[in-house]
């Protein structure tokens, strides 16, 4: 049964969050997009996973007592998957089963520390989606109408006339229409669908974003969202006729319609932490509101407009921050299977190693503002520097020659001003990295660590501790260099957890002294130099 819309009171989302926050400590909660498994994973999927993993590991190290949630998974409904399964001669569920496992394997191969892998074909998720549909319908926010416009099967997205371009025929291609945003082909459709009163939430969303300048990063996407909400918005279709789309969650009490795949998908972030919760405000101990959502720049509106409107309808706090990253390209062209220019993430990690690829993608792709070009030459250049400033530095300072000088000459460390700059860099590093990560500057934070290690390498080269001319100076060089490695190892755990763990093991750092607070003060044990990469 449908209801007439009633006036909805303005909701102060800041006050709502404060009220929830005051009752109980909230775990840190980070999500990736729920990936669409119509094909095997590509490097862009690894990129989203890696960025989320860096923040998850960082917050687990900084606040180990509050707990964390890290959700990823696969979005397994929609017309694109329905047709892809038909083309393979498979039932949609079997098709999704076969492909979803590749995304789980990618996470495992890349050492991704997710805590929940959700599939939108789970029965618990179907129940949550239908529960939310009924909640919104009870408020008069859903009504039946006729949608006339454009639909992209590739994007699983509806577009208005102003959002598409008509491309004239050429000698080799027929006339067609494409999305202005994604260049995907769209087809004109007229459907009797269920509509969601998005227009009822425009003013509240606009107020939220104009008063929360840190809510969307980079700033360009915040500006675009504010611009979109500054003009009247249309209500959106949230279902498709069952005659066109059978592979999806049925609309409650109307089996002739299927819930639109994107509505289904964005609700997964709530399903994954147990929504609907039994007690009032119990979203807080479960992790809601989500602290950080990592998404690609092509799905910003779904997460900055459609999902927040649903949250407001449910009287839930909005997401705290959204990071919309750019894309990886090949020779400045968008990666595409049809162009044959994609990069296989499994192959890349097999060729260069898991941690080197994680390091490369965080270094080169950690700015998020512009598309990033994948280049094997660049991969080799960046990972070679990592091996030199970290791996080789550890082998040099832990060499038998330096350790022999120290063991054979029981002296006190020298007071050596040549190490003053390095000591100060070590002292400032943990807070500097944390400040950058809090600002979502993943690349800048990593560069701080590398710059400190460069200074450590240069200082050791200048002092020449391996000569043995001044055993006290050798001991000072050893002590300060080992401390540089200890602090770097703690700070590198979010980025290259495998190599950082091996380094801290080799330095004899106790496992209970590897949290962020221990970067400022900690101990080492017996040092055993080994190859990190």
């Amino acid at each position: 049964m449908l209801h007439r819309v009633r006036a909805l009171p303005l909701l102060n989302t800041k006050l709502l969050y404060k009220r929830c926050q005051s009752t109980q400590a909230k775990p840190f909660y980070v999500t990736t997009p729920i990936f669409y498994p119509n094909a095997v994973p590509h490097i862009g999927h690894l990129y989203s996973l890696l960025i989320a993993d860096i923040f998850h590991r960082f917050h687990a190290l900084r606040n180990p007592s509050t707990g964390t949630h890290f959700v990823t998974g696969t979005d397994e409904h929609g017309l694109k998957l329905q047709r892809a399964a038909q083309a393979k001669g498979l039932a949609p569920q079997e098709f999704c089963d076969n492909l979803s496992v590749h995304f789980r394997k990618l996470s495992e191969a890349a050492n991704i520390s997710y805590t929940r892998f959700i599939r939108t074909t789970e029965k618990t998720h179907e129940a949550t989606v239908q529960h939310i549909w009924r909640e919104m319908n009870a408020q008069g926010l859903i009504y039946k109408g006729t949608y006339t416009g454009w639909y992209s099967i590739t994007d699983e997205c509806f577009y208005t006339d102003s959002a598409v371009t008509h491309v004239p025929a050429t000698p080799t291609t027929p006339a067609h229409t494409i999305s202005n945003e994604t260049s995907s082909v769209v087809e004109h459709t007229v459907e009797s669908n269920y509509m969601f009163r998005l227009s009822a939430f425009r003013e509240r969303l606009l107020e939220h974003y104009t008063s929360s300048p840190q809510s969307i990063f980079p700033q360009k996407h915040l500006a675009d969202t504010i611009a979109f909400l500054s003009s009247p918005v249309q209500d959106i279709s949230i279902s498709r006729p069952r005659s066109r789309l059978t592979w999806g969650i049925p609309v409650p009490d109307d089996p002739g319609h299927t819930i639109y795949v994107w509505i289904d998908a964005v609700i997964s972030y709530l399903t994954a932490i147990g929504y609907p919760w039994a007690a009032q405000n119990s979203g807080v101990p479960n992790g809601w509101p989500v602290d950080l959502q990592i998404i690609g720049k092509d799905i910003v509106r779904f997460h900055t407009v459609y999902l927040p409107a649903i949250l407001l309808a449910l009287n839930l706090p909005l997401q705290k921050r959204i990071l919309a990253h750019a894309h990886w390209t090949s020779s400045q062209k968008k990666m595409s299977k049809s162009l044959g220019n994609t990069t296989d993430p499994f192959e890349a990690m097999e060729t260069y190693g898991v941690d080197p690829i994680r390091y490369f993608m965080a270094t080169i792709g950690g700015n998020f503002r512009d598309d990033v070009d994948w280049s094997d030459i660049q991969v080799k250049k960046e990972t070679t520097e990592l091996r030199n400033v970290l791996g080789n530095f550890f082998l040099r300072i832990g060499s038998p020659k330096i350790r022999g000088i120290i063991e054979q000459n029981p002296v006190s460390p020298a007071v050596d001003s040549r190490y003053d700059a390095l000591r100060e860099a070590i002292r400032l590093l943990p807070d500097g990295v944390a400040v950058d990560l809090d600002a979502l500057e993943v690349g800048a934070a990593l560069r701080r660590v590398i710059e400190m290690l460069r200074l450590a390498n240069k200082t050791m080269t200048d002092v020449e501790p391996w000569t043995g001319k001044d055993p006290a100076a050798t001991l000072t060089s050893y002590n300060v260099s080992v401390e540089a490695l200890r602090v770097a190892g703690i700070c590198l755990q979010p980025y290259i957890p495998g190599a950082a763990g091996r380094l801290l093991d080799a330095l004899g750092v106790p496992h209970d002294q590897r949290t962020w607070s221990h970067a400022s003060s900690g101990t080492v044990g017996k040092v055993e130099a080994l190859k990190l990469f």
Side-chain angles (χ1 to χ4, degrees):
M1 179 179 177
L2 294 170
H3 302 269
R4 293 185 180 276
V5 69
R6 56 185 171 85
L8 300 172
L10 289 176
L11 176 64
N12 188 322
T13 55
K14 290 184 178 179
L15 290 178
L16 177 59
Y17 173 62
K18 288 179 180 177
R19 187 168 65 245
C20 294
Q21 189 182 44
S22 65
T23 59
Q24 193 170 352
K26 190 186 87 65
F28 176 79
Y29 182 22
V30 61
T31 66
T32 71
I34 305 302
F35 302 122
Y36 208 62
N38 62 311
V40 294
H42 55 65
I43 206 71
H45 296 121
L46 176 57
Y47 187 36
S48 297
L49 285 165
L50 170 61
I51 300 307
D53 190 56
I54 288 170
F55 286 107
H56 179 238
R57 290 178 182 274
F58 168 62
H59 283 276
L61 290 167
R62 186 162 66 171
N63 299 300
S65 63
T66 60
T68 57
H69 295 306
F70 173 8
V71 170
T72 188
T74 43
D75 172 14
E76 302 183 10
H77 291 134
L79 188 58
K80 184 162 55 174
L81 276 171
Q82 180 178 303
R83 290 185 177 181
Q86 289 171 345
K88 293 285 187 180
L90 297 173
Q93 185 66 65
E94 183 183 2
F95 181 78
C96 292
D97 291 344
N98 293 343
L99 283 173
S100 181
V101 69
H102 291 291
F103 289 84
R104 200 183 292 264
K105 286 181 178 178
L106 176 62
S107 294
E108 293 167 357
N111 201 1
I112 303 300
S113 60
Y114 68 83
T115 60
R116 172 79 156 92
F117 188 99
I118 188 169
R119 299 179 61 185
T120 57
T121 49
E122 296 173 12
K123 291 299 182 184
T124 53
H125 178 64
E126 179 176 338
T128 299
V129 172
Q130 292 188 326
H131 168 84
I132 289 174
W133 181 285
R134 290 188 176 98
E135 286 286 310
M136 296 192 299
N137 184 40
Q139 298 179 55
L141 295 171
I142 297 175
Y143 63 95
K144 208 165 191 178
T146 300
Y147 174 80
T148 301
W150 304 90
Y151 190 79
S152 166
I153 296 173
T154 301
D155 302 336
E156 293 283 10
C157 183
F158 293 99
Y159 291 105
T160 61
D161 287 338
S162 62
V164 301
T165 296
H166 303 288
V167 180
T170 69
T172 57
T173 60
H176 58 285
T177 305
I178 62 172
S179 158
N180 295 338
E181 185 176 358
T182 66
S183 298
S184 299
V185 174
V186 298
E187 55 187 34
H188 195 265
T189 183
V190 179
E191 298 178 355
S192 175
N193 292 344
Y194 286 95
M195 311 292 288
F196 174 64
R197 296 187 190 274
L198 180 65
S199 56
F201 300 96
R202 182 186 71 84
E203 292 183 3
R204 273 163 281 182
L205 291 174
L206 181 59
E207 187 279 331
H208 168 72
Y209 289 121
T210 53
S211 63
S212 305
Q214 304 302 315
S215 56
I216 305 174
F217 182 83
Q219 287 291 305
K220 175 188 181 300
H221 300 300
L222 174 65
D224 289 345
T225 301
I226 290 174
F228 174 76
L229 292 168
S230 295
S231 300
V233 298
Q234 295 182 354
D235 294 344
I236 57 171
S237 172
I238 57 170
S239 77
R240 301 209 73 191
R242 201 78 178 168
S243 58
R244 295 194 179 188
L245 175 62
T246 58
W247 184 238
I249 298 174
V251 167
D253 307 316
D254 189 346
H257 285 262
T258 303
I259 296 174
Y260 175 40
V261 64
W262 267 105
I263 300 301
D264 167 0
V266 298
I267 289 172
S268 66
Y269 307 124
L270 291 168
T271 304
I273 55 171
Y275 187 85
W277 304 296
Q280 185 180 11
N281 291 342
S282 63
V284 172
N286 284 282
W288 197 266
V290 59
D291 292 271
L292 181 62
Q293 292 202 284
I294 309 298
I295 61 172
K297 66 179 183 179
D298 54 337
I299 55 174
V300 169
R301 191 167 298 170
F302 297 102
H303 291 81
T304 62
V305 178
Y306 302 159
L307 173 57
I310 293 171
L311 296 174
L312 291 178
L314 297 173
N315 204 37
L316 292 175
L318 302 189
Q319 315 101 301
K320 293 172 73 174
R321 301 190 79 181
I322 297 168
L323 191 164
H325 62 66
H327 292 158
W328 284 88
T329 59
S330 178
S331 299
Q332 285 74 54
K333 294 180 180 179
K334 185 177 180 180
M335 290 188 181
S336 166
K337 287 185 294 181
S338 61
L339 294 176
N341 64 349
T342 57
T343 298
D344 183 338
F346 294 99
E347 185 178 305
M349 290 187 288
E350 179 68 26
T351 301
Y352 298 105
V354 173
D355 282 324
I357 287 299
R358 286 177 63 110
Y359 171 81
F360 168 72
M361 296 188 77
T363 300
I364 301 302
N367 178 273
F368 308 124
R369 293 163 180 83
D370 303 302
D371 288 346
V372 191
D373 207 53
W374 183 278
S375 160
D376 284 331
I377 293 174
Q378 189 80 348
V379 174
K380 292 173 184 175
K381 175 187 173 185
E382 296 295 336
T383 57
T384 296
E385 179 176 37
L386 175 65
R387 288 183 171 92
N388 286 337
V389 301
L390 181 60
N392 291 346
F393 177 58
F394 181 41
L395 291 174
R396 290 169 71 198
I397 199 62
S399 69
K401 188 163 189 178
I402 289 178
R403 291 170 62 183
I405 293 168
I406 294 170
E407 291 168 0
Q408 294 165 19
N409 297 276
V411 296
S412 297
V415 177
D416 194 334
S417 61
R418 291 174 293 181
Y419 274 96
D420 288 351
L422 178 56
R423 286 191 181 95
E424 182 68 0
I426 295 169
R427 184 183 71 82
L428 295 174
L429 185 65
D431 285 347
V433 171
V435 166
D436 282 336
L437 287 176
D438 284 338
L440 307 185
E441 297 287 1
V442 167
L446 183 52
R447 284 191 293 275
R448 283 184 189 269
V449 183
I450 298 304
E451 286 166 5
M452 187 276 282
L453 288 171
R454 286 176 186 151
L455 179 58
N457 276 267
K458 180 183 183 303
T459 308
M460 185 177 71
T461 299
D462 292 342
V463 173
E464 297 181 332
W466 52 83
T467 65
K469 295 177 182 178
D470 184 349
T474 297
L475 180 56
T476 298
S477 179
Y478 178 82
N479 287 346
V480 180
S481 296
V482 166
E483 177 65 1
L485 285 165
R486 185 190 72 83
V487 175
I490 289 175
C491 293
L492 286 171
Q493 289 176 101
Y495 291 92
I496 49 173
R502 289 190 293 275
L503 172 61
L504 295 173
D505 287 345
L507 292 173
V509 176
H511 282 274
D512 62 357
Q513 292 187 22
R514 299 184 184 186
T515 65
W516 210 261
S517 63
H518 286 102
S520 300
S521 178
T523 62
V524 297
K526 183 179 180 181
V527 177
E528 299 287 348
L530 52 77
K531 190 174 181 180
L532 297 177
F533 303 100

